[in-house]
Amino acid sequence: MQGLRALAALMVVVHHAQNEAMILAGRTGTDFVPRDGLPWPAGVDIFFVISGFIIVHAAAPLYGRPGARGRFIAHRIARLVPLYWLVTGLYLALGLAVPALLSGEGGPPDAARTLASFLFWPMARPDGAVLPLYGLGWTLNYEMAFYALFALGLGFSRRGAVAWLVAALALVVLAGRLIPAPPVPLAFWSDPIVLEFALGAGLALLRNEGWRLHAPARAALAAAGLFGLAAAPDAPALRLLAWGLPAALLVAAAVLGRDRPEAARGGWAARLLGAAERLGDASYALYLLHPFVLRAVREGLLRSGFAVTLGPWPGLVLMVVLTLPAALLAHQLLERPLTRLVRRALEPARPAGASESAATPER
């Protein structure tokens, strides 16, 4: 699972790195043709399916417990909000200092949209796009809505909570289709992409019910997922089917296996898996911070003259590689301490029988 998180984050990084490489090519007079072996933005879809799985799976000590909703929400706020607010504040400060950074938004942000960005509320920009101040936060607007719906179902058993979640998400999607000219928040939340959370939740229920697959079956699922993504269009008419279902196959391959035997936990494979797990732990920091690193490296290459020497493809590789240590450092030095600090401040009284592992962060 952690390796899959790392893959999902790296797909998004590669997507944005190719955009930066195109800028490099344009400013150095060289050619650059993006490579689309996979639909790189579909890393987000993998993240959404993972979120649906992890939240349902890790909330096991909370179902039907008094105080469960408050504890769950506190954990989610502590996990997502501090680093996102820090990054959004940094982006806002840079944008106010260098207004050209915000030129793509159709104008400078007003107070209402800035507040909406910090509160995860969907609001249209002056150019009509429904994006927060820091554009990558659009995924977190969906995540927070998913958390709110899931928290409402924590009074039920696991099965009941999943049934509630699937029904609620389906009703939101249906409402967005049936209501003429729905308000911006409903139009945003009713995108069928939200059903990817339901796919992950269903996988969590299957695992809890004892479903396990042998290695050949899981390998077939993983291959089908990768093939499905590779064969999918770059701009699908229905993202849920084109990218969400293959993403669910990949997650199923990761979570429906048996525990590894002790004999398989050594050697080079174990070291490679350990590196993937560490990068998976830092995937949230990698997702949020990579645009800063990519653009800093791009400008460094241009101003130093190395952009001409290297060319756009080696420059792209360098940009991507340098995002990794930046994310690992940010995870250790910023994300984890901030999460602990906010969690201690918000932690309500623990429900009887609940453990520290409850609502383990999914990114």
Side-chain angles (χ1 to χ4, degrees):
M1 176 64 80
Q2 292 298 82
L4 198 53
R5 290 176 181 169
L7 172 64
L10 282 172
M11 288 174 65
V12 177
V13 172
V14 170
H15 172 58
H16 293 140
Q18 295 206 69
N19 295 335
E20 300 299 331
M22 290 180 67
I23 296 175
L24 271 181
R27 290 167 64 175
T28 57
T30 54
D31 294 327
F32 177 78
V33 179
R35 297 289 186 266
D36 295 320
L38 291 174
W40 306 114
V44 168
D45 303 78
I46 297 174
F47 266 135
F48 282 179
V49 179
I50 290 174
S51 291
F53 173 85
I54 288 292
I55 290 301
V56 171
H57 178 72
L62 298 179
Y63 295 112
R65 300 283 186 173
R69 293 185 181 93
R71 181 172 172 80
F72 173 79
I73 292 299
H75 285 188
R76 296 297 86 213
I77 290 174
R79 177 65 175 126
L80 263 68
V81 169
L83 189 61
Y84 178 64
W85 278 11
L86 183 64
V87 170
T88 299
L90 175 61
Y91 180 75
L92 178 60
L94 290 173
L96 294 176
V98 186
L101 291 176
L102 301 180
S103 60
E105 299 193 2
D110 56 23
R113 197 165 71 82
T114 300
L115 181 61
S117 295
F118 280 98
L119 296 180
F120 304 93
W121 187 261
M123 187 173 181
R125 303 190 314 190
D127 63 1
V130 183
L131 287 172
L133 181 62
Y134 188 57
L136 288 179
W138 71 270
T139 63
L140 302 184
N141 287 353
Y142 282 121
E143 291 272 2
M144 282 299 191
F146 160 56
Y147 297 156
L149 283 178
F150 180 74
L152 293 175
L154 275 174
F156 303 121
S157 65
R158 189 197 303 262
R159 289 183 181 179
V162 171
W164 152 256
L165 178 66
V166 172
L169 289 172
L171 284 174
V172 170
V173 172
L174 185 61
R177 297 297 176 273
L178 297 180
I179 297 176
V184 168
L186 178 58
F188 178 84
W189 289 324
S190 62
D191 190 299
I193 197 174
V194 300
L195 297 177
E196 293 173 356
F197 295 115
L199 294 176
L203 290 174
L205 193 59
L206 289 178
R207 180 174 176 84
N208 182 68
E209 297 291 327
W211 281 54
R212 297 293 187 274
L213 300 176
H214 293 290
R218 293 169 60 211
L221 284 178
L226 288 173
F227 178 79
L229 287 177
D234 293 333
L238 187 56
R239 184 168 179 163
L240 172 66
L241 295 179
W243 295 354
L245 289 182
L249 293 178
L250 289 174
V251 176
V255 304
L256 294 182
R258 294 170 171 79
D259 293 337
R260 288 174 295 161
E262 291 294 333
R265 297 181 183 179
W268 66 268
R271 290 193 293 272
L272 181 61
L273 183 60
E277 288 176 348
R278 287 190 291 274
L279 186 57
D281 289 340
S283 59
Y284 185 47
L286 179 60
Y287 176 75
L288 284 182
L289 292 171
H290 75 267
F292 293 95
V293 180
L294 294 178
R295 293 176 188 180
V297 177
R298 181 198 73 193
E299 289 303 310
L301 291 173
L302 287 168
R303 297 182 185 188
S304 66
F306 282 111
V308 176
T309 304
L310 289 177
W313 274 107
L316 182 150
V317 173
L318 181 62
M319 285 188 284
V320 171
V321 167
L322 290 180
T323 63
L324 306 185
L328 292 168
L329 285 173
H331 174 66
Q332 291 293 332
L333 301 180
L334 289 174
E335 183 185 353
R336 293 182 65 185
L338 286 172
T339 298
R340 287 194 296 266
L341 180 65
V342 176
R343 189 163 170 172
R344 283 197 299 267
L346 297 178
E347 188 81 61
R350 189 176 307 162
S355 69
E356 278 298 322
S357 63
T360 300
E362 81 281 7
R363 286 190 185 173

